[in-house]
Amino acid sequence: MAKGKRVGTRRAQRKRALPSRASLILCLGITVCVVAWGYLVKAAIDFGTAARDGETNAWLFLALACLGAAACLFAGLLLGARVLRKAGLLLAPTPAEDGPAPADEHAPSTAGVDAVDLIETPTYAPPPGPYRGKRVAR
């Protein structure tokens, strides 16, 4: 192996990973939703002003603009969650383990038992003990 002053690793630097096409499409969708939301909010404000001035048709357009703005904001938030999940910043939802359990044939019947008898008292963990580190002994 050479020992000159220009000796270095023979590996090339790692290439930066480019964002995937799906992530770029999701980001474009978020941008479209946010721009549409802003336009619909401005339109709703204008329709509200016109409706208060006496134009009766403006109330219908105001309601439609509000619904459209809410739908665009909701869609943008959903797309944002998908982008964050794709980037690894959010975890995918896991199936609920606390769902209803299948009926057990051998389980005791609760017929004729008061609901108060079925309530369990909560159990709490004991408080942590005192700190016993190295500096405490000094």
Side-chain angles (χ1 to χ4, degrees), residues 49-75:
T49 303
R52 289 189 62 141
D53 287 341
E55 292 185 38
T56 56
N57 288 339
W59 288 107
L60 174 67
F61 292 123
L62 170 66
L64 291 175
C66 288
L67 288 174
C72 285
L73 185 61
F74 184 70

Side-chain angles (χ1 to χ4, degrees), residues 60-120:
L60 174 67
F61 292 123
L62 170 66
L64 291 175
C66 288
L67 288 174
C72 285
L73 185 61
F74 184 70
L77 290 173
L78 285 178
L79 292 174
R82 291 187 92 182
V83 166
L84 291 177
R85 193 176 325 133
K86 195 167 208 42
L89 299 174
L90 281 181
L91 298 177
T94 58
E97 296 176 8
D98 298 333
D104 188 9
E105 296 173 5
H106 305 291
S109 174
T110 57
V113 178
D114 289 335
V116 177
D117 296 335
L118 297 176
I119 297 175
E120 296 179 15

Side-chain angles (χ1 to χ4, degrees), residues 19-47:
S20 67
R21 175 176 240 125
S23 296
L24 292 175
I25 290 173
L26 287 173
C27 289
L28 179 66
I30 292 170
T31 305
V32 168
C33 285
V34 169
V35 169
W37 172 77
Y39 177 77
L40 287 170
V41 166
K42 180 163 180 355
I45 292 170
D46 291 340
F47 287 135

